Coordinates of all heavy atoms in Angstrom, one line a residue:
M22 N 32.1 -13.8 -46.1 CA 31.5 -15.0 -45.8 C 31.4 -15.2 -44.3 O 30.3 -15.7 -43.9 CB 32.4 -16.1 -46.5 CG 31.9 -17.5 -46.3 SD 30.5 -17.8 -47.4 CE 30.2 -19.4 -47.2
A23 N 32.4 -14.9 -43.6 CA 32.4 -15.1 -42.1 C 31.3 -14.2 -41.5 O 30.6 -14.6 -40.5 CB 33.7 -14.9 -41.5
K24 N 31.2 -13.0 -42.1 CA 30.2 -12.0 -41.6 C 28.8 -12.5 -41.8 O 27.9 -12.4 -40.9 CB 30.4 -10.7 -42.2 CG 29.8 -9.5 -41.6 CD 30.2 -8.2 -42.3 CE 29.8 -7.1 -41.4 NZ 30.2 -5.8 -42.0
S25 N 28.5 -13.1 -42.9 CA 27.2 -13.6 -43.2 C 26.9 -14.8 -42.4 O 25.7 -15.0 -41.9 CB 27.1 -13.9 -44.7 OG 27.9 -15.0 -45.1
L26 N 27.9 -15.7 -42.1 CA 27.6 -16.8 -41.2 C 27.3 -16.3 -39.7 O 26.5 -16.9 -39.0 CB 28.9 -17.7 -41.2 CG 29.0 -18.6 -42.4 CD1 30.3 -19.4 -42.3 CD2 27.8 -19.5 -42.6
K27 N 28.0 -15.3 -39.3 CA 27.8 -14.7 -38.0 C 26.4 -14.2 -37.9 O 25.7 -14.4 -36.9 CB 28.8 -13.7 -37.7 CG 28.8 -13.2 -36.2 CD 29.8 -12.0 -36.0 CE 31.1 -12.6 -35.5 NZ 32.0 -11.6 -35.1
L28 N 25.9 -13.4 -38.9 CA 24.6 -12.9 -38.9 C 23.5 -14.0 -39.0 O 22.5 -13.9 -38.3 CB 24.4 -11.9 -40.1 CG 25.1 -10.6 -40.0 CD1 24.9 -9.8 -41.3 CD2 24.5 -9.8 -38.8
L29 N 23.8 -15.1 -39.8 CA 23.0 -16.2 -39.8 C 22.8 -16.9 -38.5 O 21.7 -17.3 -38.1 CB 23.4 -17.2 -40.9 CG 22.6 -18.4 -41.1 CD1 21.2 -18.0 -41.6 CD2 23.2 -19.4 -42.0
G30 N 23.9 -17.0 -37.8 CA 23.9 -17.6 -36.5 C 23.1 -16.8 -35.5 O 22.3 -17.4 -34.7
I31 N 23.3 -15.5 -35.5 CA 22.6 -14.6 -34.6 C 21.1 -14.7 -34.9 O 20.2 -14.8 -34.0 CB 23.1 -13.2 -34.7 CG1 24.5 -13.1 -34.1 CG2 22.1 -12.2 -34.0 CD1 25.2 -11.8 -34.2
G32 N 20.7 -14.7 -36.2 CA 19.3 -14.8 -36.6 C 18.7 -16.1 -36.2 O 17.5 -16.1 -35.7
L33 N 19.5 -17.2 -36.3 CA 19.0 -18.5 -35.9 C 18.7 -18.5 -34.4 O 17.7 -19.1 -34.0 CB 19.9 -19.5 -36.4 CG 19.5 -21.0 -36.2 CD1 18.2 -21.3 -37.0 CD2 20.6 -21.9 -36.6
E34 N 19.7 -18.0 -33.7 CA 19.5 -18.0 -32.2 C 18.3 -17.2 -31.8 O 17.5 -17.6 -30.9 CB 20.8 -17.4 -31.5 CG 22.0 -18.3 -31.6 CD 23.2 -17.7 -31.0 OE1 23.1 -16.6 -30.4 OE2 24.3 -18.3 -31.1
L35 N 18.1 -16.0 -32.4 CA 16.9 -15.2 -32.1 C 15.6 -15.9 -32.4 O 14.6 -15.9 -31.7 CB 17.0 -13.9 -32.8 CG 18.0 -12.8 -32.2 CD1 18.0 -11.6 -33.1 CD2 17.6 -12.5 -30.8
T36 N 15.6 -16.6 -33.6 CA 14.4 -17.3 -34.0 C 14.1 -18.4 -33.0 O 12.9 -18.6 -32.6 CB 14.6 -17.9 -35.4 OG1 15.0 -16.9 -36.3 CG2 13.3 -18.6 -35.9
I37 N 15.1 -19.2 -32.6 CA 14.9 -20.3 -31.6 C 14.4 -19.7 -30.3 O 13.5 -20.2 -29.6 CB 16.2 -21.1 -31.4 CG1 16.5 -21.9 -32.7 CG2 16.1 -22.0 -30.2 CD1 17.8 -22.5 -32.7
A38 N 15.0 -18.6 -29.8 CA 14.6 -17.9 -28.6 C 13.1 -17.5 -28.6 O 12.4 -17.6 -27.6 CB 15.5 -16.8 -28.2
I39 N 12.7 -17.0 -29.8 CA 11.3 -16.5 -29.9 C 10.3 -17.7 -30.0 O 9.3 -17.7 -29.4 CB 11.2 -15.6 -31.2 CG1 11.9 -14.3 -31.0 CG2 9.7 -15.4 -31.5 CD1 12.0 -13.5 -32.2
L40 N 10.7 -18.8 -30.7 CA 9.8 -19.9 -30.8 C 9.7 -20.8 -29.6 O 8.7 -21.4 -29.4 CB 10.3 -20.8 -32.0 CG 10.3 -20.1 -33.4 CD1 10.8 -21.1 -34.4 CD2 8.8 -19.8 -33.7
I41 N 10.7 -20.8 -28.7 CA 10.6 -21.6 -27.5 C 9.7 -20.9 -26.5 O 10.0 -19.7 -26.2 CB 12.0 -21.9 -26.9 CG1 12.8 -22.7 -27.9 CG2 11.9 -22.5 -25.6 CD1 14.2 -23.0 -27.4
A42 N 8.7 -21.5 -26.0 CA 7.8 -20.9 -25.1 C 8.4 -20.8 -23.7 O 8.9 -21.8 -23.2 CB 6.5 -21.7 -25.0
R43 N 8.4 -19.6 -23.2 CA 8.9 -19.4 -21.8 C 7.8 -19.0 -20.9 O 6.9 -18.2 -21.4 CB 10.0 -18.4 -21.9 CG 11.3 -18.8 -22.6 CD 12.3 -17.8 -22.5 NE 13.5 -18.3 -23.3 CZ 14.6 -17.6 -23.4 NH1 14.7 -16.4 -22.8 NH2 15.6 -18.1 -24.0
P44 N 7.8 -19.3 -19.7 CA 6.8 -18.9 -18.8 C 6.8 -17.4 -18.6 O 7.9 -16.8 -18.6 CB 7.0 -19.6 -17.5 CG 8.5 -20.0 -17.5 CD 8.8 -20.2 -19.0
A45 N 5.7 -16.8 -18.4 CA 5.7 -15.3 -18.2 C 6.1 -15.0 -16.8 O 5.5 -15.5 -15.8 CB 4.3 -14.8 -18.5
W46 N 7.0 -14.2 -16.6 CA 7.5 -13.8 -15.3 C 6.7 -12.8 -14.6 O 6.7 -12.6 -13.4 CB 9.0 -13.4 -15.4 CG 9.9 -14.4 -15.8 CD1 9.6 -15.7 -16.0 CD2 11.3 -14.3 -16.0 NE1 10.8 -16.4 -16.3 CE2 11.8 -15.5 -16.3 CE3 12.2 -13.2 -15.9 CZ2 13.2 -15.7 -16.6 CZ3 13.5 -13.4 -16.1 CH2 14.0 -14.7 -16.5
C47 N 5.9 -12.0 -15.3 CA 5.2 -10.9 -14.8 C 3.8 -11.4 -14.2 O 3.2 -10.6 -13.5 CB 4.9 -9.8 -15.8 SG 3.9 -10.4 -17.2
L48 N 3.4 -12.6 -14.4 CA 2.2 -13.1 -13.8 C 2.3 -13.5 -12.4 O 3.4 -13.9 -11.9 CB 1.7 -14.3 -14.6 CG 1.3 -14.1 -16.0 CD1 0.9 -15.4 -16.7 CD2 0.1 -13.1 -16.1
P49 N 1.3 -13.3 -11.5 CA 1.4 -13.6 -10.1 C 1.4 -15.2 -10.0 O 1.0 -15.9 -10.9 CB 0.1 -13.1 -9.5 CG -0.8 -13.0 -10.6 CD 0.0 -12.7 -11.9
P50 N 1.9 -15.6 -8.8 CA 2.0 -17.1 -8.6 C 0.5 -17.7 -8.6 O -0.4 -17.0 -8.3 CB 2.6 -17.2 -7.3 CG 2.6 -15.9 -6.6 CD 2.4 -14.9 -7.7
P51 N 0.4 -18.9 -9.0 CA -1.0 -19.5 -9.1 C -1.7 -19.6 -7.8 O -3.0 -19.5 -7.8 CB -0.7 -20.9 -9.7 CG 0.7 -21.1 -9.9 CD 1.4 -19.8 -9.5
E52 N -1.0 -19.7 -6.7 CA -1.7 -19.7 -5.4 C -2.2 -18.4 -4.9 O -2.9 -18.3 -3.9 CB -0.8 -20.4 -4.3 CG 0.5 -19.6 -4.0 CD 1.6 -20.0 -4.9 OE1 1.5 -20.8 -5.8 OE2 2.7 -19.4 -4.7
D53 N -1.8 -17.3 -5.6 CA -2.2 -16.0 -5.2 C -3.7 -15.7 -5.6 O -4.0 -15.9 -6.8 CB -1.3 -14.9 -5.8 CG -1.5 -13.5 -5.2 OD1 -2.1 -13.4 -4.2 OD2 -1.0 -12.6 -5.9
L54 N -4.5 -15.3 -4.7 CA -6.0 -15.1 -5.0 C -6.1 -13.8 -5.8 O -5.5 -12.8 -5.4 CB -6.8 -15.1 -3.8 CG -7.0 -16.4 -3.1 CD1 -7.7 -16.2 -1.7 CD2 -7.7 -17.4 -3.9
P55 N -7.0 -13.7 -6.7 CA -7.3 -12.4 -7.4 C -8.0 -11.4 -6.5 O -8.6 -11.8 -5.6 CB -8.2 -12.8 -8.6 CG -8.1 -14.3 -8.7 CD -7.7 -14.8 -7.4
E56 N -7.8 -10.2 -6.8 CA -8.4 -9.1 -6.0 C -9.9 -9.2 -6.0 O -10.5 -8.9 -4.9 CB -7.9 -7.8 -6.5 CG -8.4 -6.6 -5.6 CD -7.8 -5.3 -6.2 OE1 -6.9 -5.2 -7.0 OE2 -8.4 -4.3 -5.7
E57 N -10.5 -9.6 -7.0 CA -12.0 -9.7 -7.1 C -12.5 -10.7 -6.1 O -13.5 -10.5 -5.5 CB -12.4 -10.1 -8.5 CG -12.2 -9.1 -9.6 CD -10.7 -9.1 -10.1 OE1 -10.0 -10.0 -9.8 OE2 -10.3 -8.1 -10.8
V58 N -11.7 -11.8 -5.9 CA -12.2 -12.8 -4.9 C -12.0 -12.3 -3.5 O -12.8 -12.5 -2.6 CB -11.4 -14.1 -5.1 CG1 -11.6 -15.1 -4.0 CG2 -11.6 -14.7 -6.5
L59 N -10.8 -11.6 -3.3 CA -10.6 -11.1 -2.0 C -11.6 -10.0 -1.6 O -11.9 -9.9 -0.4 CB -9.2 -10.5 -1.9 CG -8.0 -11.5 -2.0 CD1 -6.7 -10.7 -2.1 CD2 -8.0 -12.4 -0.9
R60 N -12.1 -9.3 -2.5 CA -13.1 -8.2 -2.2 C -14.4 -8.8 -1.7 O -15.2 -8.2 -1.0 CB -13.4 -7.4 -3.4 CG -12.4 -6.3 -3.7 CD -12.9 -5.4 -4.7 NE -11.8 -4.9 -5.5 CZ -11.9 -4.6 -6.8 NH1 -13.0 -4.7 -7.4 NH2 -10.8 -4.1 -7.4
T61 N -14.8 -10.0 -2.2 CA -16.0 -10.7 -1.8 C -15.9 -11.4 -0.4 O -17.0 -11.9 0.1 CB -16.5 -11.6 -2.9 OG1 -15.5 -12.7 -3.0 CG2 -16.7 -10.9 -4.2
E62 N -14.7 -11.6 0.1 CA -14.6 -12.3 1.4 C -15.2 -11.5 2.5 O -15.0 -10.2 2.5 CB -13.1 -12.6 1.7 CG -12.5 -13.7 0.8 CD -11.1 -14.0 1.2 OE1 -10.7 -13.6 2.3 OE2 -10.5 -14.8 0.5
I63 N -15.8 -12.2 3.4 CA -16.3 -11.5 4.6 C -15.3 -11.6 5.7 O -14.8 -12.7 6.1 CB -17.7 -12.2 5.0 CG1 -18.7 -12.0 3.9 CG2 -18.2 -11.6 6.3 CD1 -20.0 -12.8 4.2
I64 N -14.9 -10.5 6.3 CA -13.9 -10.4 7.3 C -14.6 -10.7 8.6 O -15.5 -10.0 9.0 CB -13.2 -9.1 7.3 CG1 -12.5 -8.8 6.0 CG2 -12.2 -9.0 8.5 CD1 -11.9 -7.5 5.8
I65 N -14.2 -11.8 9.3 CA -14.9 -12.1 10.6 C -14.0 -11.8 11.8 O -14.4 -12.0 12.9 CB -15.3 -13.6 10.6 CG1 -14.1 -14.5 10.3 CG2 -16.3 -13.9 9.5 CD1 -14.3 -16.0 10.5
E66 N -12.8 -11.4 11.6 CA -12.0 -11.0 12.7 C -11.7 -9.5 12.6 O -11.7 -8.9 11.5 CB -10.6 -11.7 12.8 CG -9.7 -11.5 11.7 CD -9.9 -12.3 10.5 OE1 -10.6 -13.3 10.5 OE2 -9.2 -12.0 9.5
A67 N -11.6 -8.8 13.7 CA -11.4 -7.4 13.8 C -10.3 -7.0 14.8 O -10.0 -7.8 15.6 CB -12.7 -6.7 14.1
R68 N -9.8 -5.8 14.6 CA -8.8 -5.3 15.6 C -9.3 -4.0 16.2 O -9.9 -3.2 15.5 CB -7.4 -5.1 14.9 CG -6.8 -6.4 14.5 CD -5.3 -6.3 14.4 NE -4.6 -7.6 14.2 CZ -4.1 -8.3 15.2 NH1 -4.2 -7.8 16.4 NH2 -3.6 -9.4 15.0
S69 N -9.0 -3.8 17.4 CA -9.4 -2.6 18.1 C -8.7 -1.4 17.5 O -7.5 -1.5 17.4 CB -9.1 -2.7 19.6 OG -9.3 -1.5 20.2
P70 N -9.4 -0.4 17.2 CA -8.7 0.8 16.7 C -8.0 1.6 17.8 O -7.1 2.4 17.5 CB -9.9 1.7 16.2 CG -11.1 1.2 16.8 CD -10.9 -0.2 17.2
L71 N -8.2 1.2 19.0 CA -7.6 1.9 20.2 C -6.2 1.3 20.5 O -5.2 2.0 20.6 CB -8.4 1.8 21.4 CG -9.8 2.4 21.3 CD1 -10.7 2.2 22.5 CD2 -9.7 3.9 20.9
D72 N -6.1 -0.1 20.6 CA -4.9 -0.7 20.9 C -4.4 -1.8 20.0 O -3.4 -2.4 20.2 CB -4.9 -1.2 22.4 CG -6.1 -2.2 22.6 OD1 -6.7 -2.5 21.6 OD2 -6.3 -2.6 23.7
G73 N -5.2 -2.1 19.0 CA -4.8 -3.1 18.0 C -5.0 -4.6 18.4 O -4.5 -5.4 17.7
K74 N -5.6 -4.8 19.5 CA -5.8 -6.2 20.0 C -7.0 -6.8 19.1 O -7.9 -6.2 18.8 CB -6.2 -6.2 21.4 CG -5.0 -5.8 22.3 CD -5.4 -5.9 23.8 CE -4.3 -5.4 24.7 NZ -4.6 -5.4 26.1
P75 N -6.9 -8.1 18.9 CA -7.9 -8.8 18.2 C -9.3 -8.8 19.0 O -9.3 -8.9 20.2 CB -7.5 -10.3 18.1 CG -6.0 -10.2 18.5 CD -5.8 -9.0 19.3
M76 N -10.4 -8.7 18.2 CA -11.7 -8.6 18.8 C -12.7 -9.4 18.0 O -12.4 -9.7 16.8 CB -12.2 -7.1 18.8 CG -11.4 -6.1 19.5 SD -12.0 -4.5 19.3 CE -13.3 -4.5 20.5
S77 N -13.8 -9.8 18.6 CA -14.8 -10.5 17.9 C -15.7 -9.4 17.1 O -15.6 -8.2 17.5 CB -15.7 -11.3 18.8 OG -16.5 -10.4 19.6
P78 N -16.4 -9.8 16.1 CA -17.2 -8.8 15.4 C -18.2 -8.0 16.4 O -18.5 -6.9 16.2 CB -18.0 -9.6 14.4 CG -17.1 -10.7 14.1 CD -16.5 -11.0 15.4
A79 N -18.8 -8.8 17.3 CA -19.8 -8.1 18.3 C -19.1 -7.1 19.1 O -19.6 -6.0 19.3 CB -20.4 -9.2 19.1
E80 N -17.9 -7.5 19.7 CA -17.1 -6.5 20.5 C -16.7 -5.3 19.6 O -16.8 -4.1 20.1 CB -15.9 -7.2 21.0 CG -16.1 -8.2 22.0 CD -14.9 -9.0 22.4 OE1 -13.9 -9.0 21.6 OE2 -14.9 -9.6 23.5
Y81 N -16.4 -5.5 18.4 CA -16.0 -4.4 17.5 C -17.2 -3.5 17.3 O -17.0 -2.2 17.3 CB -15.4 -4.9 16.2 CG -15.0 -3.8 15.3 CD1 -13.7 -3.3 15.5 CD2 -15.7 -3.4 14.2 CE1 -13.2 -2.3 14.6 CE2 -15.2 -2.5 13.3 CZ -14.0 -1.9 13.6 OH -13.5 -0.9 12.7
A82 N -18.4 -4.0 17.1 CA -19.5 -3.2 16.8 C -19.9 -2.4 18.1 O -20.3 -1.2 18.0 CB -20.7 -4.1 16.4
Q83 N -19.7 -3.0 19.3 CA -20.0 -2.3 20.5 C -19.0 -1.2 20.7 O -19.4 -0.1 21.1 CB -19.9 -3.3 21.7 CG -21.0 -4.2 21.8 CD -20.9 -5.2 22.9 OE1 -19.8 -5.3 23.5 NE2 -21.9 -6.0 23.2
L84 N -17.8 -1.4 20.4 CA -16.7 -0.3 20.5 C -17.0 0.8 19.6 O -16.9 2.0 19.9 CB -15.3 -0.9 20.3 CG -14.2 0.0 20.5 CD1 -14.1 0.6 21.9 CD2 -12.9 -0.6 20.1
Q85 N -17.4 0.5 18.3 CA -17.7 1.5 17.4 C -18.9 2.4 17.8 O -18.9 3.6 17.7 CB -18.0 0.9 16.0 CG -16.8 0.3 15.3 CD -15.8 1.4 14.9 OE1 -15.1 1.9 15.7 NE2 -15.7 1.6 13.6
D86 N -19.9 1.7 18.4 CA -21.1 2.5 18.9 C -20.6 3.4 20.1 O -21.1 4.5 20.2 CB -22.2 1.5 19.4 CG -22.9 0.8 18.2 OD1 -22.8 1.4 17.1 OD2 -23.5 -0.2 18.5
A87 N -19.8 2.8 21.0 CA -19.3 3.6 22.1 C -18.5 4.8 21.6 O -18.7 6.0 22.2 CB -18.5 2.8 23.0
I88 N -17.7 4.7 20.6 CA -16.9 5.8 20.1 C -17.8 6.8 19.4 O -17.6 8.0 19.6 CB -15.8 5.3 19.1 CG1 -14.8 4.5 19.9 CG2 -15.2 6.4 18.3 CD1 -13.8 3.8 19.0
A89 N -18.9 6.3 18.7 CA -19.7 7.3 18.0 C -20.6 8.1 19.0 O -21.0 9.2 18.7 CB -20.7 6.5 17.1
Q90 N -20.9 7.5 20.2 CA -21.8 8.2 21.2 C -21.0 9.1 22.1 O -21.6 9.8 22.9 CB -22.5 7.1 22.0 CG -23.5 6.4 21.2 CD -24.2 5.3 22.0 OE1 -23.8 5.1 23.2 NE2 -25.1 4.6 21.4
R91 N -19.7 9.2 22.0 CA -18.9 10.1 22.8 C -19.4 11.6 22.5 O -19.5 12.0 21.4 CB -17.4 10.0 22.5 CG -16.7 9.0 23.1 CD -15.2 9.2 22.9 NE -14.5 8.0 23.4 CZ -13.2 7.8 23.1 NH1 -12.6 8.5 22.3 NH2 -12.7 6.7 23.6
S92 N -19.6 12.3 23.6 CA -20.0 13.7 23.4 C -18.8 14.6 23.3 O -18.9 15.6 22.6 CB -20.9 14.1 24.6 OG -20.1 14.0 25.8
I93 N -17.7 14.2 23.8 CA -16.5 15.0 23.7 C -15.5 14.3 22.9 O -15.1 13.1 23.1 CB -15.9 15.2 25.1 CG1 -16.9 16.0 26.0 CG2 -14.6 16.0 25.0 CD1 -16.4 16.0 27.5
P94 N -15.0 14.9 21.8 CA -14.0 14.2 21.0 C -12.7 14.0 21.8 O -12.4 14.8 22.7 CB -13.8 15.1 19.8 CG -14.3 16.5 20.2 CD -15.3 16.2 21.3
P95 N -11.9 13.0 21.5 CA -10.7 12.8 22.2 C -9.8 14.0 22.0 O -9.6 14.6 20.9 CB -10.1 11.6 21.6 CG -10.8 11.4 20.3 CD -12.1 12.0 20.4
G96 N -9.2 14.4 23.1 CA -8.3 15.6 23.1 C -6.9 15.3 22.6 O -6.5 14.1 22.6
L97 N -6.2 16.3 22.2 CA -4.8 16.2 21.7 C -3.9 16.9 22.7 O -4.2 18.0 23.2 CB -4.8 16.8 20.3 CG -3.6 16.3 19.4 CD1 -3.6 14.8 19.2 CD2 -3.7 17.0 18.1
D98 N -2.8 16.3 22.9 CA -1.8 16.9 23.8 C -1.4 18.3 23.3 O -1.2 18.4 22.1 CB -0.6 16.0 23.9 CG 0.4 16.4 24.9 OD1 0.1 17.2 25.8 OD2 1.6 16.0 24.8
P99 N -1.3 19.3 24.1 CA -1.0 20.7 23.7 C 0.4 20.7 23.0 O 0.6 21.5 22.0 CB -0.9 21.5 24.9 CG -1.8 20.8 25.9 CD -1.7 19.3 25.6
Q100 N 1.4 19.9 23.4 CA 2.7 19.9 22.7 C 2.5 19.4 21.3 O 3.2 19.9 20.4 CB 3.7 19.1 23.5 CG 4.1 19.7 24.8 CD 5.0 18.9 25.6 OE1 5.1 17.7 25.4 NE2 5.8 19.5 26.5
I101 N 1.7 18.4 21.1 CA 1.5 17.8 19.8 C 0.8 18.8 18.9 O 1.1 19.0 17.7 CB 0.7 16.5 19.8 CG1 1.6 15.4 20.5 CG2 0.4 16.0 18.4 CD1 0.9 14.1 20.8
R102 N -0.2 19.5 19.5 CA -0.9 20.6 18.8 C 0.0 21.7 18.3 O -0.1 22.1 17.1 CB -2.0 21.2 19.7 CG -3.3 21.3 19.1 CD -4.2 21.9 20.2 NE -5.1 20.9 20.8 CZ -6.3 20.6 20.3 NH1 -6.8 21.3 19.4 NH2 -7.0 19.7 20.9
E103 N 0.9 22.1 19.2 CA 1.9 23.1 18.8 C 2.9 22.6 17.7 O 3.2 23.4 16.8 CB 2.7 23.5 20.1 CG 3.7 24.6 19.8 CD 4.5 24.9 21.0 OE1 4.3 24.3 22.1 OE2 5.4 25.8 20.9
L104 N 3.3 21.4 17.8 CA 4.2 20.8 16.8 C 3.5 20.8 15.4 O 4.1 21.1 14.4 CB 4.6 19.4 17.2 CG 5.6 18.7 16.3 CD1 6.9 19.4 16.2 CD2 5.8 17.3 16.8
I105 N 2.2 20.4 15.4 CA 1.5 20.4 14.1 C 1.3 21.8 13.6 O 1.5 22.0 12.4 CB 0.1 19.7 14.4 CG1 0.2 18.3 14.6 CG2 -0.8 20.0 13.1 CD1 -1.1 17.6 15.1
F106 N 1.1 22.8 14.4 CA 1.0 24.1 14.0 C 2.3 24.6 13.4 O 2.4 25.2 12.3 CB 0.6 25.1 15.1 CG 0.7 26.5 14.8 CD1 -0.2 27.1 14.0 CD2 1.7 27.3 15.3 CE1 -0.1 28.4 13.6 CE2 1.8 28.6 15.0 CZ 0.9 29.2 14.2
L107 N 3.4 24.3 14.1 CA 4.8 24.7 13.6 C 5.1 24.0 12.2 O 5.7 24.6 11.3 CB 5.8 24.4 14.6 CG 5.8 25.2 15.9 CD1 6.8 24.8 16.9 CD2 6.0 26.7 15.5
L108 N 4.7 22.7 12.1 CA 4.9 22.0 10.8 C 4.1 22.7 9.7 O 4.6 22.8 8.6 CB 4.6 20.5 10.9 CG 5.6 19.7 11.7 CD1 5.0 18.3 12.0 CD2 6.9 19.6 11.0
Q109 N 2.9 23.0 10.0 CA 2.1 23.7 9.0 C 2.6 25.0 8.6 O 2.6 25.5 7.4 CB 0.6 23.8 9.5 CG -0.1 22.5 9.5 CD -1.5 22.6 10.2 OE1 -1.8 23.6 10.9 NE2 -2.3 21.7 9.9
L110 N 3.2 25.8 9.6 CA 3.8 27.1 9.4 C 5.0 26.9 8.5 O 5.3 27.7 7.6 CB 4.1 27.8 10.7 CG 4.5 29.2 10.7 CD1 3.3 30.0 10.2 CD2 4.9 29.7 12.1
S111 N 5.8 25.9 8.8 CA 7.0 25.6 8.1 C 6.7 25.3 6.6 O 7.4 25.7 5.7 CB 7.8 24.4 8.7 OG 8.8 24.0 7.9
D112 N 5.6 24.5 6.4 CA 5.2 24.2 5.1 C 4.8 25.4 4.3 O 5.0 25.6 3.1 CB 4.0 23.2 5.1 CG 3.7 22.6 3.8 OD1 4.6 22.4 3.0 OD2 2.5 22.3 3.5
L113 N 4.1 26.3 5.0 CA 3.7 27.6 4.3 C 4.9 28.4 3.9 O 4.9 28.9 2.8 CB 2.8 28.4 5.3 CG 2.4 29.8 4.8 CD1 1.4 29.7 3.7 CD2 1.8 30.6 5.9
F114 N 5.9 28.5 4.8 CA 7.1 29.2 4.5 C 7.9 28.6 3.3 O 8.4 29.3 2.4 CB 8.0 29.4 5.7 CG 7.6 30.4 6.7 CD1 7.7 30.1 8.1 CD2 7.0 31.6 6.3 CE1 7.3 31.0 9.0 CE2 6.6 32.5 7.2 CZ 6.7 32.2 8.6
R115 N 7.9 27.3 3.2 CA 8.5 26.6 2.1 C 7.8 26.9 0.8 O 8.4 27.0 -0.3 CB 8.6 25.1 2.3 CG 9.6 24.7 3.3 CD 9.8 23.2 3.3 NE 10.5 22.8 4.5 CZ 10.2 21.8 5.2 NH1 9.2 21.0 4.9 NH2 10.9 21.5 6.3
T116 N 6.5 27.1 0.8 CA 5.7 27.4 -0.4 C 6.1 28.8 -0.8 O 6.2 29.0 -2.1 CB 4.2 27.3 -0.1 OG1 4.0 26.0 0.4 CG2 3.4 27.5 -1.3
I117 N 6.2 29.7 0.1 CA 6.4 31.1 -0.2 C 7.9 31.4 -0.6 O 8.2 32.0 -1.6 CB 6.0 32.1 0.9 CG1 4.5 32.0 1.1 CG2 6.4 33.5 0.6 CD1 4.0 32.7 2.3
L118 N 8.8 30.8 0.2 CA 10.2 31.0 0.0 C 10.8 29.7 -0.6 O 10.9 28.7 0.2 CB 10.9 31.4 1.3 CG 10.4 32.6 2.0 CD1 11.0 32.8 3.3 CD2 10.6 33.9 1.1
P119 N 11.2 29.6 -1.8 CA 11.6 28.4 -2.4 C 13.0 27.9 -2.0 O 13.4 26.8 -2.3 CB 11.6 28.7 -3.9 CG 11.8 30.2 -4.0 CD 11.2 30.7 -2.8
F120 N 13.8 28.7 -1.2 CA 15.1 28.2 -0.9 C 15.2 27.8 0.5 O 14.5 27.8 1.4 CB 16.2 29.3 -1.1 CG 15.8 30.7 -0.6 CD1 16.2 31.0 0.7 CD2 15.2 31.6 -1.4 CE1 15.8 32.3 1.1 CE2 14.9 32.8 -0.9 CZ 15.2 33.2 0.3

């Protein structure tokens, strides 16, 4: 008898828990804008790719044109070039030798 009352109590608690509406925790907060809306926004502020300072759209366009018209690509420090080569060589050795 006690066992059946215990099962009845558990079943009743589960039924009540299922029937009571609870807010969904996995939904984003209501003030969060959907990604579709954010994609349609026009970005009117820009940051310099060189130093990260804020720029106007006109200044950003001028800087992009100046970068595109460079005849010589920006150079890389020889020590950094050597470090990149050594990292690539290390990656190759790890592929060949698994230990």
